[in-house]
Amino acid sequence: MYGLALEGGGTLGAAHLGVLRALHEYGIIPSAIGGTSAGSMIAAAYGWRGQLSDVEELFADVTQLGPKLLDLNITGIMSLVTHWFAHRDLHYLGVFKGNRLEKLMNDHLEGAMLAQARLPLVIPSVDLISRELVLYTSRLPRDRGLDHWERDASIAQAVRASTSIPIVFAPKEIDSGMMVDGGVLQNLPISSVRQLGESRVLGVSLHVAGEDTQHPDNVMGVARSMISAVGKQMERRQRQEATYLLEIILPEGSGTFSFDRMDQFVDIGYETTIKAIPAIRAAFAQSVPAMARRAAVLSAR
């Protein structure tokens, strides 16, 4: 019994499918799951019924749709231009609306509410109004700490909230909140998965080879770098709480919207996990969860 925590990263998150495939192949089945941003899509599809096939079907649709999932916020962009020329306060929330992504998730999950998820599930988001981390979950933990845990939403709404990359996607309004990407405060939700009751957690972190020296050259790159910079210190603490930390190294030049490379990312996630299976089993065999152990396989192609 263990929990699986999946990091965000746009299309890089396709690697999480490869991780799940390998874990299932070796009978290392998670009993709880959490994910942020792109990781929330995989976590939601898996946590809904605990079936790998649900993740496979979602991935197939995302791959087929590709950039068509990105619905331009034309009204918002026009408003931005109009207010700019009129020298008025800019009212601009995001390049994309995110409605297509939410509909895709809702269709796949048959409109399921968080409480209907078969596995303990947690999906982080951030409320721009309260400035709080909001943890959407299927089961409220006994010890909620100082964070706000929320169960009254659909799984698709939680995913839409967690994937709302600031600047790139418009925030998701739920009740009185304006929700954005959980990666702002918790891009790798290891501690939150542990709060669900799992003392052992496998964390899956995503990295692009050479990304520390790359200069953002578009709005997506700026947004991802911003989230990474804000959450870097917090992520270090999250990493230390992992029983085992699996690091997936993706090819140089991979980006948030590299839809054409998603199959490759799946393969890299699978291969990296297969090589780490003995180390994962050794870490889980310990009676007391250890500090994070690292498995990094450079698979840049």
Side-chain angles (χ1 to χ4, degrees), residues 72-245:
L72 271 175
N73 184 10
I74 297 176
T75 301
I77 294 174
M78 291 301 296
S79 176
L80 172 68
V81 173
T82 301
H83 283 75
W84 175 272
F85 282 105
H87 302 287
R88 295 165 58 188
D89 289 340
L90 302 181
H91 297 282
Y92 173 71
L93 296 177
V95 178
F96 303 110
K97 291 182 286 188
N99 295 337
R100 290 179 188 168
L101 175 61
E102 183 175 350
K103 183 180 185 305
L104 175 70
M105 294 301 304
N106 200 58
D107 289 346
H108 268 273
L109 303 176
E110 299 178 1
M113 301 297 288
L114 283 162
Q116 295 176 281
R118 184 168 299 176
L119 293 185
L121 169 68
V122 60
I123 296 175
S125 186
V126 174
D127 186 353
L128 291 180
I129 297 176
S130 67
R131 278 79 165 178
E132 286 185 322
L133 178 68
V134 177
L135 298 166
Y136 289 99
T137 185
S138 59
R139 303 180 191 180
L140 295 172
R142 292 181 180 177
D143 179 13
R144 304 181 196 176
L146 299 176
D147 296 320
H148 178 72
W149 291 75
E150 180 60 60
R151 198 182 183 201
D152 188 20
S154 71
I155 304 176
Q157 284 178 315
V159 170
R160 167 70 176 84
S162 189
T163 54
S164 297
I165 305 171
I167 303 173
V168 180
F169 285 95
K172 171 64 179 177
E173 294 188 21
I174 300 180
D175 297 328
S176 59
M178 290 184 66
M179 315 308 300
V180 296
D181 196 318
V184 172
L185 292 178
Q186 194 180 96
N187 203 32
L188 182 58
I190 293 171
S191 63
S192 296
V193 171
R194 290 192 68 181
Q195 284 179 272
L196 290 177
E198 297 296 341
S199 60
R200 300 182 304 173
V201 178
L202 170 61
V204 183
S205 183
L206 306 173
H207 300 276
V208 175
E211 67 180 343
D212 291 338
T213 60
Q214 292 177 353
H215 296 272
D217 58 1
N218 55 53
V219 67
M220 287 63 171
V222 170
R224 189 163 187 268
S225 295
M226 178 180 69
I227 291 176
S228 177
V230 172
K232 202 164 188 178
Q233 294 297 323
M234 298 177 184
E235 187 175 314
R236 286 175 183 162
R237 184 178 67 82
Q238 291 291 323
R239 287 163 170 259
Q240 291 177 345
E241 293 195 33
T243 305
Y244 191 90
L245 182 66

Side-chain angles (χ1 to χ4, degrees), residues 285-298:
Q286 297 186 24
S287 58
V288 179
M291 297 294 280
R293 294 167 177 83
R294 304 173 62 131
V297 177
L298 183 60

Side-chain angles (χ1 to χ4, degrees), residues 4 20 24 29-33 41-55 109 118-119:
L4 183 62
L20 270 172
H24 267 253
I29 313 299
S31 51
I33 193 166
M41 296 177 66
I42 303 295
Y46 188 78
W48 174 40
R49 297 191 300 189
Q51 299 292 327
L52 179 61
S53 59
D54 288 325
V55 185
L109 303 176
R118 184 168 299 176
L119 293 185

